[in-house]
Each structure stands twice: as C-alpha cells, then as structure tokens.
Amino acid sequence: QKEVEQDPGPLSVPEGAIVSLNCTYSNSAFQYFMWYRQYSRKGPELLMYTYSSGNKEDGRFTAQVDKSSKYISLFIRDSQPSDSATYLCAMSERDTGRRALTFGSGTRLQVQP
Amino acid sequence: KAGVTQTPRYLIKTRGQQVTLSCSPISGHRSVSWYQQTPGQGLQFLFEYFSETQRNKGNFPGRFSGRQFSNSRSEMNVSTLELGDSALYLCASSRTGGETGELFFGEGSRLTVL
C-alpha cells in the first residue's frame, strides 16, 4: 500500500464547476501538505501549502487538511479550461531529518469549455 | 528571476550506458532535490543536496548518484542504464531545504533508454 493515495482520474467537469480533489495518507508523521499543478511536459508548480490541520484559501483555491482522518482536499471554484492539468498532492515530515516529499500519483483534471 | 534550469531536456541512451543530468537552481537557493517521475510510480524522491552535502537519499540503487557544486548547481548521474530508468528526471530548488515543501521545479530531463 502506498503512503499517499490519490485517484488518478481523469476528472472531467464543465467550465464554472467546483472541483474537489482528494488524497488520503497513512503516515501520521506528515506535517506539511501541498498541492502541485503540473501541465503537460512541464515541471510541477506549487499551488497551496498547509502546515498541520485546517483550511487555507488563495483566490479560487481552497486547501483542507484533516489529520484525524488522514485526508486532504483541494477545491477549485469557478473552474476554467486553463485549470486543465494534473494535480499532485504532496506531503513531508518534520523533525525527522527526512527532507523529501512524498507525492500522490496525481489526478488529471479536464475542464470543458 | 530565472527559474530552475535543467539540461539536456531530452536524451536517448542505450542499456548499459551512463548519463549525467545538470540542474541550475534559482539564484540564492542552496538546496537542490532530484525526483524521478514515471507513469507507473509517479514522482519519487532521489536525493537532496544542501551546501554541497547530500542530506537525504531516497530508495534507489547505487547506480543513481549526484553531487552539488559550490555555486549550488547540481548534477545527477545514472550508470549502467536499464530500460526501467526511462523517466522524466526533475530537479527542484528551495532556499533552505525541502521539508517545508516550498520547492520550485524545473521542466525536467526526459530520458529514454533503448
């Protein structure tokens, strides 16, 4: 079983829809939670970064972390065709010397105009 | 401000050969991490360097190695290439280190092993 599970999709939605992307994880030592967006033939770019549990909002994006359930989410409001990409969740530990990110497999999102 | 630059962008090698990939981090960033991305395994951590020292290493065989120079530029080397080494190799830099997740990725070097 992988440490981080993510539905690969593809997820197809109409323009303007609210998108919900999710990851579950098994390692309770994860403290930092991130969402990256990766366009085809590009490197991942950081969208959202959250420490521990709670919500964080940035424009049309909202990240939620529920450590008790080991579940994180990314919501995209008013989705646009330009949001079509692969979304990767990533996590890392703190204070264990493990300075490396563990990624989910990515969810491919298609926003139809 | 220039981003993370990786060279070469594409390369083709045959089994048994070796390859060296280069990464120039964002100016002022002292940490460089390397990741391998494949359709089957996704993004997997290879190693991380900070101030010319390897701080962390992922679960990859010894054929995968790297180094960092005093100007923070980094190289990774894969010896005795296998078909399964075909992947996108991504370099990421950060100011202090990868544990907070604020990594900035390059566009990658796509390696094909025939």
Side-chain angles (χ1 to χ4, degrees), chain A residues 51-106:
Chain A
Y51 173 69
S52 195
S53 287
N55 293 1
K56 186 173 184 178
E57 187 173 322
D58 184 2
R60 296 185 296 112
F61 299 92
T62 299
Q64 289 185 349
V65 175
D66 182 350
K67 290 189 68 180
S68 62
S69 301
K70 295 189 177 67
Y71 187 86
I72 71 170
S73 302
L74 177 71
F75 298 96
I76 307 174
R77 292 183 297 280
D78 187 24
S79 56
Q80 303 295 310
S82 58
D83 294 328
S84 298
T86 296
Y87 290 79
L88 300 147
C89 63
M91 309 174 189
S92 64
E93 301 178 22
R94 181 177 173 84
D95 299 330
T96 62
R98 182 185 164 192
R99 297 182 180 86
L101 298 186
T102 301
F103 282 86
S105 56

Side-chain angles (χ1 to χ4, degrees), chain B residues 24-110:
Chain B
S24 293
I26 292 172
S27 178
H29 286 194
R30 297 169 62 189
S31 169
V32 172
S33 304
W34 289 89
Y35 289 79
Q36 180 196 64
Q37 186 174 30
T38 60
Q41 297 298 318
L43 269 153
Q44 292 186 286
F45 172 73
L46 281 158
F47 27 65
E48 185 240 351
Y49 288 87
F50 182 82
S51 293
E52 302 179 66
T53 301
Q54 185 182 87
R55 292 201 295 190
N56 293 275
K57 190 177 191 304
N59 189 27
F60 277 82
R63 300 184 297 107
F64 292 81
S65 63
R67 59 177 175 169
Q68 187 181 31
F69 303 96
S70 58
N71 62 358
S72 294
R73 192 177 68 83
S74 177
E75 289 182 347
M76 68 162 284
N77 184 77
V78 188
S79 62
T80 320
L81 284 166
E82 301 177 0
L83 296 179
D85 296 333
S86 294
L88 180 66
Y89 290 89
L90 291 159
C91 168
S93 75
S94 73
R95 192 172 299 278
T96 57
E99 70 267 28
T100 62
E102 295 181 77
L103 298 183
F104 296 86
F105 283 85
E107 295 194 333
S109 293
R110 186 167 296 278

